[in-house]
Amino acid sequence: MRSPLFVSSVLAVGLVLAASHAHAADGVTVYNQNCAMCHAPGLANSPKFGDKAAWAPRIATGKDALLKSALNGKGAMPARGGNPKLSDDDVAAAVEYMVNAAK
């Protein structure tokens, strides 16, 4: 029989992983907290949120290319939207959210 401490530890790790995965899937929150300051007004020539014409050539490059730019930075856009604490999944969720809004 496993000790209560072991079971509690396993459950705690599971909850942390589930919470981090749920957070990563929230592209709206990641966008609002990290991307909107530039993409809402179109600062530094960033494509405005929902602007189909501005996003079309970027979307045409494919999701992998968009994600690579968001992760590594491009032009005036810093890597990970300037937030090095964002996971790859967080950035991917925000990119997906922005792309879906521009289709």
Side-chain angles (χ1 to χ4, degrees), residues 3-14:
S3 75
L5 180 61
F6 174 81
V7 173
S8 296
S9 297
V10 170
L11 289 173
V13 169

Side-chain angles (χ1 to χ4, degrees), residues 38 41-47 58 74-77:
C38 292
L43 292 180
N45 295 320
S46 65
R58 292 164 172 89
K74 183 173 183 178
M77 181 179 69

Side-chain angles (χ1 to χ4, degrees), residues 2 4-5 7 21 24 48 51-52 55 63 65 71 73 78 83-84:
R2 303 235 189 246
L5 180 61
V7 173
H21 179 68
K48 288 184 180 180
D51 183 337
K52 293 179 183 186
W55 279 96
K63 284 187 178 184
L71 289 171
N83 184 349

